[in-house]
Structures are given as structure tokens and as C-alpha cells.
Amino acid sequence: MIFSALGGGAMGGLVKTGTAVLTILLVIPALLKLLIVTVDEGWAAIRTRNGRPIIRRGRAGKAQGDGVGEVVVLRPGSHGAFPLFYWYKLIDVRCRATDLPARQLTGATGHQHLVHASFEWRPVASGRDLRVFELDVVNVTERAANIISAALRDVIRSLEGAELPHNDVLSLQVREACADKVLAACGVEVVNVLLTGDALTDGYLLSQALRESGDAPRTIAALHALN
């Protein structure tokens, strides 16, 4: 009975059914994978042809031949990859942080502040900004750090007194002073600027104590803070 069941038309039907199931489960998804690209959340993709970005130009750009235009950007989701010679370069557009070196900055009244700062940034997923970020700027973090450091210096230069404002207030002032310029020059958004204010290092506290040597109680308290 077993051999008779597996022989003839029954075996042929089983083979056809198995082949159809394998085709549905393996072959068709593999073919679709060749024609579909999936961009995950937190990423964007620049569409390229033969290794070069595909740039969508307006009529003025085509007439002048100056290459002005926006690169074709794919946002998170599934996108068709047909024809096959269209390729995609993934770009991480998640938020990241970069530290700025500690600097001695002078306020409006001549008081020096030892400032530690960092900034959080992310690439903007638009054709113009990703073109600047990926194609036009060699070192994004270095260039953005220079712009933010200059804005930080200018903001503190206008402050009076021996103490810096609260971090929330000062950080907002610095971000507003440099956000547009960083976006235009680097294609990234400055999410936040974090300042720790006057760094409480041993050398800084000691120098402050020496400056106030005429005020014994404050000098002693500052020296005790070193322990």
C-alpha cells in the first residue's frame, strides 16, 4: 500500500505541491529582495547610479550645467530598486554627541571661565542637507565644532559677572546663535548644546582661592573643596 501510494500520480502531485510551496516561501521572497530596498528607522539612503549620487536638478540647473540640485533621498520604509543598476548608500541620521575641548573664555567684565561643553547633532534627511553632509563637507564634526565654539565664545564674551548663567539658559543662547549656520554649512541639525559651566578642577579652584586671598573664609572654603 505504501509503495502504491507513493507511486504514479500521487508522487507527482506531492512533488508539484512541494515545489510550489518552496517557490512561494523561498524563491519569490529572494526575487523581491533583489528589487526592494528597506530603510530602517534612524537611517536614510542616498540613491546612486554607478557609485555616483542621483541628483534631481531643476530647469535652471540643467540649463547652466552647474550641478545644482538635490540628491535623491529615501526615507525609512520599503522602496523599489528597479532597475538593478540603481544602488543606495545608507546614512545614519540618528542623534550623536561630540565633545568640545575645555576653553578659557573671558566675559565682559574680564572674568575668565573654564568651560567644558558638548553638542548633540544629527544629519537632516533632505536632499539638500544630505548632499552637504555626505558630499560637500570633508569633516562634519570638526567644522560644526568650530562654528559652535565661535558662537560659545561670542555669547560668553557678552556676559557680565563672575558666574555663568544656568546651563539651560546659556545652552539655548549658544544653540540659537549657531544652529542656522551649522545647518547651512554642514547639513546637520544642532539638537542641543550642553555646558557644564566653570569646571571644578583642582587647578581652577586653587586659582580662584589665590585671587581671593584677601578674603580668608572664602579662601579656606575653596581649599577645603579640594579634599
Side-chain angles (χ1 to χ4, degrees), residues 166-176 192-195:
H166 194 273
N167 182 57
D168 293 341
V169 177
L170 188 57
S171 298
L172 181 61
Q173 292 179 5
V174 175
R175 185 168 65 87
E176 290 179 348
N192 200 7
V193 180
L194 304 175
L195 282 78

Side-chain angles (χ1 to χ4, degrees), residues 129-144 182-188:
D129 295 307
L130 280 188
R131 179 176 184 179
V132 174
F133 171 76
E134 187 67 20
L135 307 176
D136 297 346
V137 181
V138 177
N139 193 326
V140 174
T141 56
E142 180 179 352
R143 189 170 184 181
V182 172
L183 181 62
C186 306
V188 301

Side-chain angles (χ1 to χ4, degrees), residues 8-66:
M11 190 63 180
L14 183 61
V15 171
K16 291 180 181 179
T17 303
T19 304
V21 171
L22 289 177
T23 301
I24 295 174
L25 296 179
L26 299 177
V27 178
I28 293 180
L31 291 177
L32 291 177
K33 185 64 177 177
L34 294 176
L35 302 177
I36 294 177
V37 61
T38 300
V39 181
D40 296 328
E41 289 292 333
W43 293 79
I46 291 179
R47 195 168 74 177
T48 64
R49 182 188 293 115
N50 300 327
R52 301 183 61 183
I54 298 176
I55 299 177
R56 185 186 294 112
R57 297 184 178 89
R59 294 183 178 179
K62 290 182 179 179
Q64 297 175 4
D66 55 3

Side-chain angles (χ1 to χ4, degrees), residues 105-123:
L105 302 175
T106 304
T109 56
H111 186 86
Q112 284 194 334
H113 305 275
L114 179 58
V115 179
H116 287 176
S118 64
F119 64 98
E120 298 175 349
W121 60 277
R122 62 188 171 203

